[in-house]
Amino acid sequence: MEWTREARYRGLSSISNEEFESMSDKVHQSPWRQYFHVQPVSGLLNDPNGFIYFKGQYHLFYQWYPLGPVHGLKYWYHVVSDDLIHFENKGPVVYPDTTYDSHGAYSGSSIQIEDQLYLFYTGNHRTKDWERVPYQIVATLNDAFQVKDKQPLIEGSPQGYTDHFRDPKVWQENGNYYFVIGAQTTAQTGRALIYQGDTTFKFHLLGEIQTGLSDFGYMWECPDLFKLGNKDVLIFCPQGLEADGVKYRNIYQSGYIIGDFDLKTLEMKHDGFVELDHGFDFYAPQTTISKEGERVLIGWMGLPDINYPTDVYNWAHCLTLPRVLKVKENTLIQTVHPDVEKLRVRSNETTMDITNDNTVLDLIQPDRSEINISIVENEADVLSIVFSNQVEEAVKITYDKNTEVFELDRSQSGELPNNQDNQKRSVQLFDALKSLRIFIDTSSIEIFINEGTHVMTSRLFPVEPYQYCQLSSESGTVKMETKQYELKRG
Ligand code: FRU
């Protein structure tokens, strides 16, 4: 079908339950449904929103367009879990049903005040002439997690900024509420602004976060500002950066600056911008504090403005596994949250020497496994790890010891998203490769390198699951230990 503007702005109320069921049937015919990642029952998922541990459970919401694999009228879809891996679908919570959010309940965050949950988000409104008017809205949820009340807090954007003004991330400090929000100056540069509000939710603009990045993309989406150890971290998604060597290869970027932020002067002293993930499909992450008191991050495993092979089955995208963030030497370290280990069913261990010849391991469970590799000794110039199936589709990982460059090549991995001409992504490691932790689901791979100093996340669309893990080296031997796990459904 053709996704005209009218078609994209049809909401759930315009279709019958039967129509919605026939859409979900189509989704079930898809060979690429995931086992242990949050994915939509139909239509398109994008940013994680409102992520919080509240009254003993994790609540996570995501941007959802129910009727097709396109960006249309957005809802917030709600999932709930006792841990960070067994999420249960609860259905849509925030409907675009007021003037303020008539054209989409866009991204935002949540906060607990006393024993109530409040959602702060951007209402996307379009006038008859299709001019965008962003509203920042607060919504209260009742005990059944239904929206009880919506109040617009801010109409439009402040002077000097365009209507690209969205994605409030809220927090409480010194008896006040604050949010950081993505903005674009009228000179078309991306910024993050900070608002302060009192207990009656009257918010006023404090100003821009003063970073050293005055000309760094035309828009910053989904900012997130938090303390980690004794450092301050600002995560944001700049749009419009030019590719620079192995950096910024995707359509839009997602990364962070780290340093010291002063809420009084809004000055942020920081090191350079660092990408959070070096794979093909990662964007708009959001963090919260876990039950254990750690900072955890979940991202959207997808990007805007790209068509994906699942589109023909009427669904698109999923969320990443949860990651714990730590700071080490002014860098964020991202490791998989230990709750993911609850998915392990059985394991298989091997110790081996890889020489020029291929060593082929059968994957313990082709479409859902964790593969942990530790390199005991590496005398080879190049190590390659290839996951392949019987129809010769393969995803290839290579590590060059001399340059310490790590590469992911999905050019032969199966069907591919459009809009990306180059199907290789690489990252310059800080040190020699010592360990890999790889999670393979039906249509994704997440690679944690050297205990989380770098991560590469990508969707993959093989015709059949990868069954083999081929290990080989060039000019030298690699001694390694591998441990594989079969994983069960999340
Ligand atoms: C990021 C984003 C946000 C916006 C939302 C709309 O992917 O563009 O800036 O709030 O998606 O779905």
Side-chain angles (χ1 to χ4, degrees):
M1 81 173 270
E2 203 201 328
W3 287 102
T4 57
R5 184 186 284 175
E6 259 115 56
R8 282 172 195 253
Y9 283 87
R10 278 175 66 216
L12 274 173
S13 58
S14 72
I15 60 160
S16 63
N17 285 346
E18 291 77 58
E19 270 178 282
F20 190 71
E21 287 201 341
S22 87
M23 284 183 185
S24 315
D25 287 347
K26 186 96 184 262
V27 172
H28 285 116
Q29 291 161 20
S30 165
W32 294 305
R33 294 296 281 170
Q34 299 276 57
Y35 279 97
F36 52 91
H37 288 86
V38 173
Q39 60 191 340
V41 287
S42 76
L44 180 141
L45 163 158
N46 57 304
D47 317 355
N49 292 159
F51 189 19
I52 194 164
Y53 185 65
F54 172 71
K55 293 189 182 168
Q57 284 196 305
Y58 287 100
H59 293 267
L60 176 61
F61 306 81
Y62 57 75
Q63 287 285 289
W64 186 46
Y65 178 58
L67 306 192
V70 293
H71 290 270
L73 186 62
K74 294 288 170 70
Y75 293 67
W76 279 34
Y77 192 96
H78 185 200
V79 295
V80 178
S81 177
D82 292 336
D83 58 23
L84 279 165
I85 200 71
H86 297 99
F87 284 100
E88 186 194 334
N89 284 340
K90 289 294 201 187
V93 168
V94 188
Y95 287 67
D97 57 2
T98 65
T99 318
Y100 319 118
D101 55 12
S102 55
H103 292 70
Y106 276 10
S107 282
S109 51
S110 67
I111 192 170
Q112 176 172 358
I113 302 173
E114 288 164 8
D115 61 351
Q116 279 244 304
L117 195 59
Y118 292 82
L119 309 180
F120 283 70
Y121 69 96
T122 301
N124 185 44
H125 172 75
R126 297 272 192 179
T127 64
K128 270 200 229 72
D129 302 328
W130 208 247
E131 273 159 23
R132 190 198 298 274
V133 184
Y135 285 87
Q136 309 316 318
I137 298 173
V138 62
T140 318
L141 295 182
N142 67 15
D143 289 344
F145 293 96
Q146 289 155 338
V147 172
K148 191 161 84 171
D149 187 22
K150 283 185 188 178
Q151 289 174 49
L153 302 173
I154 297 166
E155 179 183 339
S157 50
Q159 224 189 348
Y161 300 90
T162 73
D163 56 4
H164 287 286
F165 179 60
R166 54 180 173 263
D167 313 334
K169 177 78 192 314
V170 63
W171 77 95
Q172 201 169 5
E173 192 172 325
N174 311 326
N176 289 314
Y177 302 111
Y178 296 89
F179 59 76
V180 56
I181 185 165
Q184 178 183 57
T185 64
T186 45
Q188 313 278 309
T189 52
R191 290 288 185 271
L193 309 188
I194 296 210
Y195 278 74
Q196 182 181 329
D198 60 18
T199 47
T200 63
F201 286 162
K202 278 208 184 62
F203 279 85
H204 65 276
L205 176 64
L206 292 182
E208 286 180 3
I209 299 187
Q210 303 294 315
T211 70
L213 302 171
S214 55
D215 186 10
F216 196 69
Y218 59 78
M219 168 64 190
W220 292 1
E221 295 189 310
C222 302
D224 193 346
L225 178 66
F226 52 88
K227 256 210 177 325
L228 196 56
N230 57 1
K231 290 284 156 197
D232 296 295
V233 179
L234 175 68
I235 288 180
F236 62 100
C237 297
Q239 298 183 304
L241 299 185
E242 299 258 314
D244 175 9
V246 300
K247 295 197 294 191
Y248 316 151
R249 307 297 310 186
N250 292 334
I251 179 164
Y252 304 132
Q253 324 310 325
S254 172
Y256 66 91
I257 51 179
I258 189 165
D260 297 299
F261 173 64
D262 182 343
L263 190 55
K264 287 198 195 79
T265 61
L266 303 186
E267 202 188 328
M268 175 116 185
K269 296 203 180 83
H270 61 90
D271 291 355
F273 178 82
V274 182
E275 286 174 274
L276 276 162
D277 196 286
H278 303 271
F280 294 89
D281 305 287
F282 181 89
Y283 198 63
Q286 189 168 87
T287 70
T288 194
I289 299 290
S290 71
K291 149 160 78 170
E292 298 82 16
E294 293 181 306
R295 185 59 62 172
V296 281
L297 172 148
I298 288 186
W300 169 26
M301 212 195 286
L303 280 168
D305 305 336
I306 295 174
N307 298 320
Y308 280 72
T310 56
D311 289 5
V312 293
Y313 296 101
N314 210 51
W315 72 285
H317 312 304
C318 61
L319 299 181
T320 65
L321 290 175
R323 307 174 181 179
V324 178
L325 303 184
K326 296 252 155 62
V327 184
K328 194 175 149 199
E329 289 158 18
N330 263 8
T331 304
L332 284 188
I333 304 294
Q334 305 174 70
T335 52
V336 176
H337 190 280
D339 282 352
V340 175
E341 289 166 20
K342 295 184 188 172
L343 297 175
R344 290 171 175 174
V345 181
R346 64 192 168 104
S347 64
N348 186 351
E349 253 172 279
T350 44
T351 304
M352 58 198 156
D353 292 352
I354 309 299
T355 48
N356 296 346
D357 298 331
N358 277 342
T359 301
V360 181
L361 296 178
D362 284 336
L363 285 187
I364 185 167
Q365 177 60 51
D367 48 8
R368 50 201 140 98
S369 50
E370 174 185 346
I371 301 116
N372 294 337
I373 297 179
S374 39
I375 314 274
V376 181
E377 217 175 285
N378 183 2
E379 281 158 5
D381 285 337
V382 180
L383 167 68
S384 33
I385 304 169
V386 178
F387 295 103
S388 62
N389 59 19
Q390 287 186 352
V391 292
E392 285 174 27
E393 291 167 334
V395 54
K396 188 170 180 189
I397 293 166
T398 43
Y399 166 66
D400 183 321
K401 192 179 71 176
N402 301 315
T403 57
E404 292 179 351
V405 170
F406 186 94
E407 184 187 81
L408 173 69
D409 175 353
R410 72 168 179 187
S411 56
Q412 307 301 318
S413 62
E415 289 194 32
L416 293 169
N418 76 341
N419 283 17
Q420 280 168 330
D421 42 1
N422 180 349
Q423 295 299 335
K424 291 181 184 176
R425 290 289 178 273
S426 27
V427 55
Q428 174 71 59
L429 304 188
F430 301 144
D431 295 306
L433 179 67
K434 299 212 182 60
S435 71
L436 290 172
R437 201 161 166 204
I438 303 174
F439 292 87
I440 296 187
D441 201 339
T442 316
S443 54
S444 66
I445 188 164
E446 282 152 290
I447 309 173
F448 293 82
I449 305 165
N450 286 349
E451 311 291 328
T453 53
H454 293 98
V455 190
M456 285 181 129
T457 298
S458 291
R459 296 300 302 278
L460 301 168
F461 302 95
V463 166
E464 55 178 62
Y466 306 118
Q467 250 178 295
Y468 314 112
C469 173
Q470 249 168 278
L471 299 152
S472 57
S473 67
E474 263 171 43
S475 17
T477 304
V478 186
K479 279 191 199 311
M480 61 164 81
E481 285 163 7
T482 69
K483 185 154 186 179
Q484 294 191 51
Y485 297 91
E486 172 184 341
L487 302 181
K488 63 182 178 199
R489 197 176 282 284

